[in-house]
């Protein structure tokens, strides 16, 4: 999906409480700019399409995959633990490293990806699903940066528990009677 469609679908799924927990995996093609700069944008496009097919083929039907930007992909995994998200991220990293993308003129392109992932329970009182998604994305993105800084071609976990910013923590629901009594 596009970035916009990904966020609409993810917000809808989290907002409906269709899952009790979820995880996000962010995957990024390593040194993608070098592919574009040395082999041309057509080779970059071929590599990008190949990575997208690889990711789409690795997820469940209930998962939501979207292009986050440039050469970065975002995967929402409903009812998924951090361990399960890590297994998927590691599988993607391993599988990408084994790929040879055939480009025109017989050129074979090899690429790797790095991934960061985070998981959280979905609070029953969550008023705005974008708050949880933003927190998960931020943590998965930080884990992705760690993967890049630690040498690329690896999957890195965010801290075990994603905590919503206290400023955006879900508010308890207050009954009409309680509001009237104030």
């Amino acid at each position: 999906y596009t970035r916009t469609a990904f966020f609409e679908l993810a917000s809808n799924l989290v907002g409906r409480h269709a899952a009790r927990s979820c995880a996000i995996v962010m995957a990024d093609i390593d040194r993608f700019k070098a592919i574009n700069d040395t082999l041309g944008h057509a080779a970059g496009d071929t590599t990008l399409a190949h990575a997208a097919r690889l990711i789409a083929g690795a997820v469940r039907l209930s998962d939501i995959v979207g292009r986050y930007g440039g050469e970065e992909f975002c995967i929402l995994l409903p009812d998924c633990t951090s361990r399960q998200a890590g297994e998927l991220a590691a599988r993607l990293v391993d599988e990408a490293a084994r790929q040879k993308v055939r480009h025109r003129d017989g050129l074979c392109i090899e690429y790797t990806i790095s991934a960061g992932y985070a998981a959280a329970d979905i609070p029953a009182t969550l008023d705005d699903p974008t708050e949880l998604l933003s927190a998960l994305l931020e943590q998965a993105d930080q884990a992705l940066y760690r993967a890049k800084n630690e040498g690329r071609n690896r999957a890195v976990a965010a801290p075990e528990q994603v905590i919503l910013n206290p400023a955006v923590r879900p508010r308890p629901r207050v009954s009409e009677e309680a509001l009237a009594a104030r």
Side-chain angles (χ1 to χ4, degrees):
Y1 292 109
T2 65
R3 181 183 175 121
T4 302
F6 172 84
F7 281 105
E8 287 174 7
L9 292 167
S11 291
N12 186 24
L13 186 141
V14 171
R16 285 190 336 243
H17 299 283
R20 291 180 304 225
S21 63
C22 64
I24 287 188
V25 174
M26 293 187 73
D28 185 73
I29 300 173
D30 294 326
R31 296 184 170 86
F32 185 73
K33 184 175 179 346
I35 293 171
N36 274 339
D37 290 350
T38 59
L39 303 174
H41 289 281
D45 289 347
T46 301
T47 304
L48 188 60
H50 188 276
R53 285 190 302 276
L54 175 82
I55 293 167
V59 299
R60 306 168 299 180
L61 291 175
S62 60
D63 299 336
I64 301 170
V65 179
R67 187 166 169 203
Y68 191 68
E71 67 280 4
E72 195 169 44
F73 297 89
C74 204
I75 309 163
L76 176 72
L77 307 161
D79 288 321
C80 187
T81 65
S82 181
R83 182 186 57 76
Q84 292 166 323
E87 289 169 358
L88 171 67
R91 243 185 359 261
L92 291 173
V93 168
D94 290 344
E95 188 61 31
R98 288 196 297 271
Q99 300 297 306
K100 291 189 188 314
V101 180
R102 183 167 306 281
H103 186 55
R104 65 178 171 228
D105 302 329
L107 175 68
C108 282
I109 303 166
E110 295 179 6
Y111 70 95
T112 60
I113 63 170
S114 295
Y117 58 94
D121 291 331
I122 300 174
T125 59
L126 187 67
D127 290 331
D128 183 1
T130 59
E131 296 169 0
L132 179 62
L133 291 171
S134 293
L136 275 170
L137 281 165
E138 176 63 29
Q139 296 240 351
D141 195 40
Q142 291 303 315
L144 175 59
Y145 276 111
R146 279 191 36 229
K148 295 282 191 180
N149 290 333
E150 292 174 8
R152 296 181 173 83
N153 191 29
R154 67 190 67 231
V156 172
E160 284 301 310
Q161 182 64 36
V162 171
I163 304 295
L164 293 176
N165 180 329
V168 294
R169 191 172 299 277
R171 295 174 299 284
R173 300 201 187 267
V174 179
S175 69
E176 295 294 323
E177 296 82 30
L179 285 173
R182 288 187 179 171

